[in-house]
Amino acid sequence: MDTAILFLICVVLLGTITLQSHLSRAERRAARVERKLDLVLRHLGLEEEIPGQDEIIGLVRQGKQVQAVKLYRESTGAGLVEAKQAVDRLS
């Protein structure tokens, strides 16, 4: 009975490690694709359209950086750092 539990724990741990490896690999690949897409857009002279950009710019002009970052994150699904950098570029 104890060996069966130990075996089951080992299988679960191995599965977890394998899953984390696949997820981190997928995240790295997605980040690489995003960087390439950014380069293509920049090369073509195109800019990404940001939903609610006018409202975000309005918040920035009013000095409401935190609210602008929050709205940017809600509109685009970006992470905190990416949203902060984008709002800083808009100001």
Side-chain angles (χ1 to χ4, degrees):
M1 184 79 133
D2 290 334
T3 55
I5 293 173
L6 182 60
F7 177 74
L8 183 58
I9 290 172
C10 288
V11 168
V12 169
L13 287 175
L14 182 61
T16 303
I17 291 169
T18 303
L19 181 61
Q20 287 177 345
S21 172
H22 285 292
L23 287 176
S24 65
R25 189 177 316 137
E27 289 171 351
R28 286 192 308 270
R29 291 180 76 191
R32 190 172 69 235
V33 168
E34 287 178 3
R35 283 192 304 271
K36 288 179 180 181
L37 182 57
D38 289 341
L39 288 172
V40 169
L41 288 173
R42 200 172 313 127
H43 178 75
L44 295 174
L46 302 173
E47 291 186 25
E48 180 181 1
E49 290 186 28
I50 302 168
Q53 182 173 354
D54 294 336
E55 188 176 353
I56 294 168
I57 291 172
L59 289 169
V60 169
R61 288 183 180 151
Q62 295 172 18
K64 298 180 179 180
Q65 296 289 103
V66 174
Q67 291 88 345
V69 170
K70 183 178 178 183
L71 181 58
Y72 186 93
R73 290 186 72 193
E74 291 171 355
S75 299
T76 63
L80 180 60
V81 173
E82 182 183 349
K84 173 76 171 86
Q85 292 171 345
V87 168
D88 288 344
R89 284 192 303 269
L90 290 174
S91 58

